[in-house]
Amino acid sequence: MVQHPDGLGTGTVAGVLRERPPMDRELPAFDPAGAPAAPGPLFVDWLLGALAARVPDPQVGTVSTVDADGLPDARMLVLRDVDAEGAGWLFAADADSPKGRQLAARPAAAWTFYWPQLGRQVRIRGRVETAAPEVCAAEFLTRSPAARAAALSGPQSAPIDSLAGYDAELAAALARLAEDPSLVAPGHTVYTLRATAVEFWQGDRARRHVRLRYDRPGPDAGWTAALLRP
Ligand SMILES: Cc1cc2nc3c(=O)[nH]c(=O)nc-3n(C[C@H](O)[C@H](O)[C@H](O)COP(=O)(O)O)c2cc1C
């Protein structure tokens, strides 16, 4: 039993969740007949719509990769840019992190966005390309000193002994940056998820969800689009 979040005594978790069906609100309509021939422009349109609707952090989504044992792994990452023409979604990460190692071994990923205020999901799948070192370095230098110091302090996801020890490493990295602002973390990498499938899902209060999936056999091929049963 759990305390009811609305102060209505106690209940089961399942009971509390049953009282709160997802997407139980007015959501925008999506007419796939008016959709563009390629997914990039539609994604940008939906992303700008999410920004206009004040969705918090709409540029953050879940990037899924696969480890050496074939086990899926997933984490939130910030979208840095969209190559709408080439259907590329860009993120930046440490090549010396679990996701970086997974991508080095299997350069493929899925990226899932959900914008609750609009009831919209976008699922992107494809191969992952790594940018040239000078592009990665230039992107690194656009970051705040705090973000650069964190990346310079050591490999992401490595265990630390204590937060106090980490604070000391951060302070040392900030001091090194102050002396040499051109420092670049060696593993900092810009990745592009080059889509071969992109699905747009518009939720509906009455459960008449609309799904439109774009597919192409390879990065140089044209797109086809199909409606899917929700
Ligand atoms: C809102 C949000 C945004 C994040 N953005 C990034 C990001 O852009 N790059 C990144 O490396 N990690 C980002 N993280 C942290 C990752 O989710 C993850 O914890 C980290 O990258 C380590 O992942 P890994 O151990 O699978 O390599 C973000 C986390 C959150 C909650």
Side-chain angles (χ1 to χ4, degrees), residues 11-22:
T12 62
V13 172
V16 169
L17 292 178
R18 244 192 326 269
E19 285 167 18
R20 289 176 157 67

Side-chain angles (χ1 to χ4, degrees), residues 57 60 73-80 91-94 97-100 102 143 156-157:
D57 302 338
V60 177
D73 203 355
R75 78 293 288 158
M76 309 294 285
L77 295 183
V78 173
L79 175 70
R80 303 287 163 182
F91 60 96
D94 184 1
S97 65
K99 73 183 114 23
Q102 289 161 9
R143 300 185 156 222
Q156 192 180 39
S157 301

Side-chain angles (χ1 to χ4, degrees), residues 13-211:
V13 172
V16 169
L17 292 178
R18 244 192 326 269
E19 285 167 18
R20 289 176 157 67
M23 292 169 294
D24 190 17
R25 56 189 170 273
E26 280 311 310
L27 297 171
F30 169 51
D31 179 7
L42 183 55
F43 179 88
V44 171
D45 187 43
W46 279 29
L47 176 67
L48 296 179
L51 283 163
R54 301 272 182 267
V55 175
D57 302 338
Q59 72 276 51
V60 177
T62 304
V63 173
S64 304
T65 48
V66 174
D67 75 10
D69 299 323
L71 208 62
D73 203 355
R75 78 293 288 158
M76 309 294 285
L77 295 183
V78 173
L79 175 70
R80 303 287 163 182
D81 199 1
V82 183
D83 167 12
E85 284 292 304
W89 280 257
L90 277 74
F91 60 96
D94 184 1
D96 198 14
S97 65
K99 73 183 114 23
R101 287 190 291 274
Q102 289 161 9
L103 286 169
R106 294 176 188 230
W111 202 337
T112 312
F113 294 87
Y114 176 52
W115 298 312
Q117 286 84 342
L118 300 170
R120 286 179 167 174
Q121 172 186 245
V122 183
R123 301 166 61 189
I124 304 153
R125 304 177 74 199
R127 306 287 295 171
V128 173
E129 301 166 0
T130 302
E134 59 274 17
V135 174
C136 302
E139 203 276 341
F140 187 77
L141 295 174
T142 65
R143 300 185 156 222
S144 69
R148 279 181 283 150
L152 285 163
S153 70
Q156 192 180 39
S157 301
I160 52 173
D161 289 335
S162 69
L163 287 176
Y166 176 64
D167 286 342
E169 288 172 6
L170 264 188
L174 271 171
R176 282 201 289 142
L177 258 186
E179 254 177 48
D180 182 359
S182 69
L183 283 178
V184 173
H188 185 76
T189 305
V190 175
Y191 297 95
T192 301
L193 171 56
R194 195 66 69 186
T196 48
V198 186
E199 183 199 310
F200 294 83
W201 189 99
Q202 173 63 68
D204 176 60
R205 185 179 218 164
R207 300 308 187 244
R208 186 186 166 277
H209 311 309
V210 176
R211 293 174 68 190

